Amino acid sequence: MKTCKKCSCIYDDSFEQCPRCNKAPLISNFEKFVFAAILTLISGIVLVFINFKIALIVFGAFIYFAIIIPKKFPSEWKQASENKTNVMNTSALKSFSIIHIEGVKNTDQNQKCTLKINSEYLSFEDNKENFIDKVELSDIKNLCILEEIEQTQKNKSTIGCAVVGGLLLGSVGAVVGGLSSLNPTMVENKKYYLEIKTSKGPDIIITSDNATLKNIKDIILAK
């Protein structure tokens, strides 16, 4: 997009000069060709049910437009293709059900949330799909999956807990204690956390099952 220095209006890059100041047509030649191509395609589909021979001729015209447009308007075609790709990437969200531990604004500990990932940022929503907060992917410095192992006896009395890779109690790194002893009557219960370290704002910790957290981590790292 361009901004006119005379009238300050914003106009499309396909125009060499401001259409308002220079009284240029409101539709560029590129847009006219694209509109004609779309019109022939729709007409061809309709004519298939009316007259198949005429429909073939119209489809031939559509193929002509499809070949000639990229050659006649290479810069406009490239820009339109890039814009389409950007829109698709931005709208292609991946959604995950997670539980918030800390770091997300206006969110309680152990609150259930929806984490959505696209090409530019992570967004957090409540169960009613109301926006809570977002984190730009460019602000993420590191991702770390932490494992918490809780040891309990068969009668459900708690013996103690420890964390592999970091101990959790309120925030990562807090030492909460160790195991008093190990014996055959103990049962292990594992919990997994994803720590999202950011360059802006507090670090974020969420929890879910291990497979979900690994999937979230892999998708973010692939962006």
Side-chain angles (χ1 to χ4, degrees):
M1 303 299 288
K2 298 178 181 178
T3 302
C4 178
K5 295 181 180 180
K6 293 182 180 180
C7 65
S8 299
C9 73
I10 299 174
Y11 60 95
D12 193 82
D13 291 334
S14 59
F15 295 101
E16 294 182 1
Q17 296 178 326
C18 173
R20 177 181 294 178
C21 296
N22 295 278
K23 297 182 179 180
L26 296 178
I27 301 177
S28 65
N29 290 332
F30 171 70
E31 292 172 326
K32 289 179 180 178
F33 271 75
V34 172
F35 177 76
I38 295 173
L39 184 61
T40 54
L41 177 61
I42 296 174
S43 300
I45 294 173
V46 173
L47 287 170
V48 166
F49 303 96
I50 301 174
N51 191 315
F52 187 73
K53 291 183 179 180
I54 298 178
L56 291 177
I57 296 174
V58 175
F59 279 127
F62 169 74
I63 294 172
Y64 167 78
F65 282 117
I67 295 173
I68 200 67
I69 290 176
K71 294 181 178 180
K72 190 175 181 64
F73 307 96
S75 59
E76 291 87 347
W77 179 260
K78 182 179 179 181
Q79 182 179 359
S81 301
E82 291 175 350
N83 291 340
K84 180 181 178 181
T85 302
N86 291 334
V87 170
M88 291 178 64
N89 289 338
T90 302
S91 60
L93 298 173
K94 299 288 185 180
S95 298
F96 300 92
S97 296
I98 56 96
I99 297 176
H100 167 256
I101 300 300
E102 66 176 47
V104 179
K105 297 178 182 178
N106 304 317
T107 310
D108 297 329
Q109 189 176 23
N110 296 322
Q111 179 176 333
K112 293 182 179 180
C113 301
T114 298
L115 170 66
K116 292 184 177 181
I117 308 173
N118 63 24
S119 61
E120 298 178 356
Y121 58 85
L122 311 178
S123 67
F124 295 88
E125 299 178 357
D126 60 21
N127 289 336
K128 296 181 180 180
E129 297 186 351
N130 296 316
F131 174 81
I132 301 174
D133 196 9
K134 75 173 183 178
V135 177
E136 300 289 340
L137 293 182
S138 58
D139 293 334
I140 296 177
K141 298 190 298 182
N142 190 30
L143 298 166
C144 181
I145 293 179
L146 305 172
E147 179 182 302
E148 182 182 55
I149 303 176
E150 184 180 88
Q151 296 279 349
T152 60
Q153 288 183 341
K154 287 186 178 180
N155 60 6
K156 305 300 180 181
S157 62
T158 302
I159 300 300
C161 69
V163 178
V164 177
L167 299 178
L168 298 175
L169 185 61
S171 62
V172 176
V175 178
V176 295
L179 299 176
S180 59
S181 62
L182 293 174
N183 58 70
T185 62
M186 289 186 175
V187 177
E188 287 189 352
N189 180 30
K190 294 183 179 181
K191 294 181 180 179
Y192 297 93
Y193 303 85
L194 177 63
E195 181 187 24
I196 305 173
K197 290 185 173 292
T198 65
S199 59
K200 298 178 182 179
D203 296 339
I204 295 171
I205 300 175
I206 60 174
T207 184
S208 185
D209 61 90
N210 192 32
T212 297
L213 296 181
K214 285 183 177 180
N215 196 6
I216 293 172
K217 181 181 178 180
D218 292 342
I219 292 174
I220 295 174
L221 292 176
K223 295 294 183 181

